[in-house]
Amino acid sequence: MRSLQSGHSMERRKHPRTELNEPAYVSVGGSVMACTVCNISADGAAIEVDNPAFVPSRFRLVMASDRSVRDCEVVWIQHNRIGVTFRD
């Protein structure tokens, strides 16, 4: 586990993030898109997708490893990386 906190900026997260490189899926209305979970915390995650334009503001994130499902809401997008908060 690697800390992502910087000594120069204020960390706004309540929970520490864990660095990952795990396959997962964005699932919405029967449609599924592959993604990679870059980091995760108790409150949210950062994922990478091929084309963020196809990711809706709310979706389900399904982890490939254990098929766990989290309801998500997009909070930011930077290039192909999307930050989400967990709604459940």
Side-chain angles (χ1 to χ4, degrees), residues 52-85:
F54 294 120
V55 177
S57 61
R58 291 187 179 176
F59 62 89
R60 287 187 167 183
L61 180 65
V62 182
M63 297 299 291
S65 59
D66 62 2
R67 298 288 185 215
S68 61
V69 178
R70 301 297 301 261
D71 289 321
C72 297
E73 185 169 356
V74 173
V75 291
W76 56 262
I77 299 174
Q78 291 181 343
H79 306 287
N80 288 3
R81 189 171 280 209
I82 298 174
V84 299
T85 186

Side-chain angles (χ1 to χ4, degrees), residues 2-6 9 11 13 17-19 38-39:
R2 195 172 79 195
S3 173
L4 296 178
Q5 293 182 354
S6 168
S9 66
E11 179 64 48
R13 289 172 186 81
R17 292 181 285 179
T18 300
E19 286 288 315
C38 303
N39 63 61

